Each structure stands twice: as C-alpha cells, then as structure tokens.
Amino acid sequence: MRRGTDIDEAVAVLRGGGLVAFPTETVYGLGADASSPAAVARVYAVKGRPDDHPLIVHLAPLAPGATGAALAGWAAAVPPAAEALARAFWPGPLTLIVARGPRIAAAAAGGGDTVGLRVPSHPLAQRLLAAFGGAIAAPSANRFGAVSPTTADHVVADLGDDVDYVLDGGACDVGVESTIVDCTGPAPALLRPGGVAREDLERVLGAPLAERSAASPRSSGSLPSHYAPRARVAAVDADALAAAVASERRRGAIAVLAQAAAIARAGVTPGDGVVAVVALPDEPAAAARQLYAALRDLDATGVDVIVAALPAEVGLGAAIADRLRRAAGPRDRPRAPSPDDPEPGT
Ligand code: TXA
Ligand code: MG
C-alpha cells in the first residue's frame, strides 16, 4: 500500500485494475474502475461484502445544464425528479438510484439493473475522476459492517495492504454517507438519510419523499447491524440518557456519546464506571462531522458499552440517529431481509 496525494499514481492504479481509497466529502471510498468486472470483484473481496450488494458509482462533475445527456452510458434513463435533484445537489452528498447504463459493469451494481450515481464535491475526488476519465465504483473504505472511515488513517488501519493506493485528503467534511434517493419508482423515495437533509430534498421536489417500500430496489443478504464498533452500542433517547448511564454502568465499563446539551441535561461526568464522555456539537452538521471518529476513539478505550443519545431528527440529525440505531442493532444473527428493514449500511 502506498499513500499520498499523487493523482497520476492513483489513476495508474485504477487503469491497472487496482484499488484506490480516496476522500469524498462524506467518507473515504474504496475505488475501482466501474467499467471493469475484475477490478470491481476485488472491491467485493477486500470489503468482505456479499456480491449482490451494489456499489455507488462516482462521476466527475457534469457540464452545466447537461445532466441527462452527460449521464449517457452511466444511466439508461434519467427521470425528471432525478434530473432536478442532480441539478440542485450535485456535486454533493446525494446518491440517485436510476436504471443502469451500459458502461457500468453489472457486478458494480450487484448484478442488478439499477445503479446508484453520485458526483462528489471533494476537490481531490473530482481531480481523480477528471484525470481517470471514467466512473469509479466505491463503497465506503471499511470492512463490511464496520464504522466508515473519515480520515486516511482510518482507511490504513482498516484495510492496510489490501488497498493499493490511499489518496490522502485529510478529514472528511460531512462525516456521514450520502443520502440515497431511489428515482426508479413512481415517486422518489428516501432509501438512506445522509449528507443532504430530507427537508432540502423535499423543498426542491416540492413534495414529500416516499418511504422505502417493498418495491424499492434493495440488496439482499443484508445484516441488521452495520456501522458497528467492537463495543456494544446502546442508542437511547436524550431524555433517557441519565437512566441508561445509571443502569449500564452497573454492568461494565461504559463510554457516553451525546450532544453537549444532552450531556449537560443528564449531568453525566466521567468516573464511577464511566470511562469516557464525548460531547458532540449541538449543531447537527457539526456533530455528523465528528460522529465516526468519536465512535472509533471511544471503541479504542476498550469499554464494554457505548451509551449514545439520539439527536433530534432534523437536518443531519436524521442521518446521525439512523447510524446510531444501526450501530446498536443485533450483531450476529443474520436473518432474511424484510421490506421494513432500514437500508443496510456497509
Ligand atoms: O457517501 C457515500 O455514499 C459513500 C462515499 C464513498 O461515496 N459511499 C457509501 O457506499 O456509503 P456504501 O457501499 O458503503 O453504501 C452504499 C449503499 C449500500 O447500502 C447499497 O445497498 C446502496 O447504497 N446502493 C447502492 N446501489 C444501489 C442500488 N442500485 N439500489 C439500491 N441500493 C443501492
Ligand atoms: Mg458503507
């Protein structure tokens, strides 16, 4: 594994069918040439991800005013809602599910006929995509089910020599994954809350987003828990934080993760079984930026349990609450997926 900021080297690795971890504004991606079945197969092998679980395909910024045409090859059809959302939020933390175009290897889409497309806003990601000239398929650059990486150090710690080149762009600005909107059904549906707030999407659409339904494209074979650190996570309402801390500290060493106001209200301080307390900013976007690094740091303290308070689900608070709930999900009992499941995080 090599690490640096050399775009030419990263492009050479991609052209050779290798894997490049690269920064986006959300989290680091583990990238491969989206047109190459062999390169894409390496992504699945390194992630330990089921091969029917589709990857997000990243594109360079489109020419202004040319959304539909510029997507030719990558998307087989771009419905009006997808076009409107792309115009409003690309480049940015929004993934649109559309019909898959012929230039994307079927394997990158988990063998399905839809694909998640996204134009990232991170300058290094854009330089990489422009120099490469093609599309880059990339899941988050962590092993399947683990917490997503928001720094190059996280990627190196997780993947080591399984990745050929790590493009180092420092810490990610958004800190949680992109929002995913399915544009293949009768009305756009929110599949995963993320870096673009639902409120902002609905403002552009002029209508509420539909919820995931049985007809929504989804990946099979998913596990109920993702984004999970080693420690058990107890996700609780902020109002219940004091009581949860009181009960969990009797059973083992605990860490507490909550927004500053919730910690103050609950009167939580270190000591007496509470090994560490991390106060996230009260402003949701600032809290999202720090979320995954905080989970990793708390996990590294070796505590048995991380007690995490759920934020108000406005703006990026919805994405934070979603990730905390999934980190708290049951760990080792795979079961058949149901249409009511939250979108699996990977
Ligand atoms: O912010 C992000 O989205 C990051 C950065 C690297 O772009 N990527 C990311 O990828 O989070 P990943 O693979 O960790 O999560 C992608 C999610 C998965 O849950 C997958 O099932 C869903 O997107 N997905 C991808 N393509 C899909 C499709 N065609 N239909 C339904 N879901 C899809
Ligand atoms: Mg992921």
Side-chain angles (χ1 to χ4, degrees):
M1 186 262 302
R2 290 184 34 83
R3 170 176 179 170
T5 56
D6 187 339
I7 298 288
D8 293 339
E9 182 168 355
V11 167
V13 167
L14 289 174
R15 296 223 166 105
L19 303 186
V20 172
F22 64 100
T24 80
E25 67 278 23
T26 59
V27 301
Y28 275 70
L30 177 64
D33 178 352
S35 302
S36 162
V40 165
R42 278 194 65 198
V43 173
Y44 283 92
V46 165
K47 277 214 55 136
R49 179 174 183 151
D51 62 10
D52 59 354
H53 201 126
L55 308 179
I56 289 175
V57 173
H58 298 73
L59 305 172
L62 315 176
T67 313
L71 290 176
W74 309 120
V78 182
E83 178 125 16
L85 293 175
R87 277 180 205 277
F89 299 105
W90 282 357
L94 175 67
T95 295
L96 299 172
I97 308 292
V98 295
R100 176 170 60 89
R103 290 182 70 188
I104 294 171
D113 52 13
T114 63
V115 65
L117 298 177
R118 153 164 138 76
V119 175
S121 65
H122 194 290
L124 267 189
Q126 293 191 351
R127 281 175 55 205
L128 177 68
L129 284 155
F132 177 57
I136 300 178
S140 51
N142 53 281
R143 306 275 180 206
F144 189 62
V147 177
S148 295
T150 52
T151 67
D153 283 342
H154 294 163
V155 176
V156 171
D158 283 0
L159 300 181
D161 282 332
D162 284 347
V163 49
D164 300 304
Y165 192 75
V166 178
L167 197 57
D168 189 345
C172 300
D173 198 44
V174 175
V176 292
E177 297 82 351
S178 60
T179 302
I180 303 180
V181 175
D182 172 29
C183 299
T184 64
L190 183 69
L191 299 191
R192 176 176 77 180
V196 175
R198 170 199 281 268
E199 297 88 325
D200 295 331
L201 295 164
E202 293 180 340
R203 204 168 300 126
V204 166
L205 292 169
L209 280 160
E211 302 304 319
R212 153 189 301 289
S213 75
S216 302
R218 69 184 318 285
S219 38
S220 54
S222 54
L223 299 171
S225 162
H226 285 90
Y227 306 100
R230 175 203 48 80
R232 178 164 67 84
V233 175
V236 301
D237 286 336
D239 290 343
L241 182 60
V245 168
S247 97
E248 293 286 357
R249 79 187 340 162
R250 281 190 243 115
R251 300 204 271 154
I254 71 169
V256 177
L257 177 66
Q259 286 171 296
I263 287 178
R265 254 195 338 269
V268 180
T269 51
D272 192 19
V274 180
V275 173
V277 178
V278 167
L280 293 173
D282 291 321
E283 201 277 303
R289 190 174 302 136
Q290 295 176 27
L291 178 69
Y292 288 149
L295 279 171
R296 282 172 185 261
D297 289 348
L298 291 178
D299 211 22
T301 64
V303 292
D304 302 302
V305 186
I306 299 171
V307 180
L310 297 167
E313 294 188 44
V314 291
L316 265 65
I320 298 173
D322 171 76
R323 305 307 188 270
L324 288 174
R325 284 200 188 94
R326 278 193 273 166
R331 291 287 165 85
D332 46 13
R333 276 184 301 129
R335 59 172 168 74
S338 114
D340 299 331
D341 286 346
E343 173 63 8
T346 53

